[in-house]
Amino acid sequence: MNYKESYTLILNNIARFIDLTELEKQKYLSLLTEIKVKKKAFLMQAGDVTKYEYFVTKGCLKVYTINEDGAPHISMFAVEDYWTGDIASFMTKESTRYFITATEDSELLGISRTNYELLFQEIPKFERFYRILYQRSLISYIRRSNHGISLTAEERYIEFKKKYPNVVNRVTQKDLAGYIGITPEFMSKIITKVNRKQKVLN
C-alpha cells in the first residue's frame, strides 16, 4: 500500500525496532493526529499538560526551559524523523516546565494519551517500541549531562556538529548558544575558531 510521505516516515522509524502487518500499520495511523505549527509559534508552553507524543515529519522545533535570569536553556532540537514532547507530563498528566517552539514552519504527527493506551491494547508489540524509544532518550539525556560536565564549550559544539550534521545549519547562533550553554557572543567566537581550524586541516 502506498502511504503519503509523512506516514511513510513514521512507519519507517517504527520499522527499525518492530515489524507491523499491513492491518497494524493502518490501525496505528488511524490513531494519529496531524498537527501544523507556524514558525515562531508555540507547540507547547510551560504550565501546559502535554497532550501528545510528537513525531516531526517536516520542519524544526526547539525544546527549552527558561532559567531564573530569563535566559533559555535548550535541551534539544527536533527535526524530521525525531520524536519530541515531555514524556513525564504526558504520562502523569502534570504540568510541563518545557516550551516547544517551531523555528521553521513544521508538521507533526501526534498520538494522544487515550490513543496511546488504546494502541497497547490493540497492538501490544508497541510496548517494545516505546520502551526502546524511552531507553534511547534516557541514554541521550545522560550523555548530554555528562558532556556538560566533562567537555569544554568548544568540544560540546564540535560534538553537536558531528552528531547532528542535519541540524547545525538550521538553527541560529543564539539558539545554538542556548543549547551549548554559553552566551551568543562566545558562541560566535567558538564557531569562528572551529571553522578556522577546519580550513587549515583541509
Side-chain angles (χ1 to χ4, degrees):
M1 182 173 179
N2 291 324
Y3 295 102
K4 60 183 180 180
E5 189 175 347
S6 60
Y7 286 172
T8 298
L9 189 63
I10 197 169
L11 289 174
N12 287 343
N13 183 281
I14 291 165
R16 295 171 196 163
F17 307 110
I18 59 173
D19 294 322
L20 298 176
T21 66
E22 196 59 43
L23 284 176
E24 288 172 337
K25 290 177 183 178
Q26 293 177 31
K27 177 61 181 179
Y28 175 67
L29 294 176
S30 74
L31 298 176
L32 301 178
T33 300
E34 296 184 60
I35 301 163
K36 293 186 178 182
V37 192
K38 288 291 186 181
K39 182 177 179 179
K40 296 185 179 180
F42 287 102
L43 175 65
M44 185 174 80
Q45 298 189 61
D48 293 344
V49 173
T50 305
K51 296 179 180 179
Y52 296 93
E53 273 279 86
Y54 300 101
F55 179 81
V56 184
T57 59
K58 181 181 178 182
C60 179
L61 304 99
K62 60 181 178 181
V63 183
Y64 61 100
T65 54
I66 301 293
N67 66 22
E68 294 176 354
D69 299 325
H73 173 72
I74 298 174
S75 56
M76 74 172 291
F77 297 102
V79 296
E80 296 85 3
D81 203 29
Y82 280 51
W83 293 86
T84 191
D86 180 356
I87 184 60
S89 174
F90 181 73
M91 297 299 293
T92 64
K93 299 181 182 179
E94 295 177 355
S95 299
T96 182
R97 63 188 185 92
Y98 290 96
F99 297 85
I100 301 182
T101 306
T103 61
E104 302 173 0
D105 287 347
S106 301
E107 297 177 7
L108 308 95
L109 294 172
I111 185 164
S112 68
R113 180 63 194 272
T114 299
N115 285 351
Y116 178 85
E117 297 293 347
L118 181 60
L119 177 64
F120 290 162
Q121 295 174 20
E122 298 282 341
I123 316 174
K125 68 181 74 172
F126 264 98
E127 291 190 4
R128 168 180 164 77
F129 171 74
Y130 280 101
R131 175 174 55 79
I132 294 171
L133 188 67
Y134 299 150
Q135 285 176 343
R136 289 163 68 92
S137 178
L138 178 59
I139 291 169
S140 179
Y141 173 79
I142 292 171
R143 285 176 177 167
R144 176 155 156 68
S145 297
N146 290 338
H147 286 169
I149 298 170
S150 61
L151 301 182
T152 66
E154 182 178 330
E155 288 170 336
R156 292 199 297 275
Y157 171 62
I158 293 171
E159 180 72 14
F160 180 83
K161 282 189 68 175
K162 190 183 301 181
K163 189 173 181 180
Y164 305 108
N166 59 332
V167 177
V168 69
N169 293 323
R170 294 174 65 176
V171 298
T172 65
Q173 281 191 22
K174 183 178 179 181
D175 282 343
L176 193 51
Y179 179 87
I180 301 296
I182 56 178
T183 65
E185 293 76 18
F186 191 28
M187 187 76 254
S188 180
K189 291 178 181 178
I190 286 177
I191 291 174
T192 300
K193 181 180 178 182
V194 170
N195 289 343
R196 190 182 298 124
K197 284 182 179 179
Q198 289 179 339
K199 286 181 180 178
V200 170
L201 292 174
N202 293 334

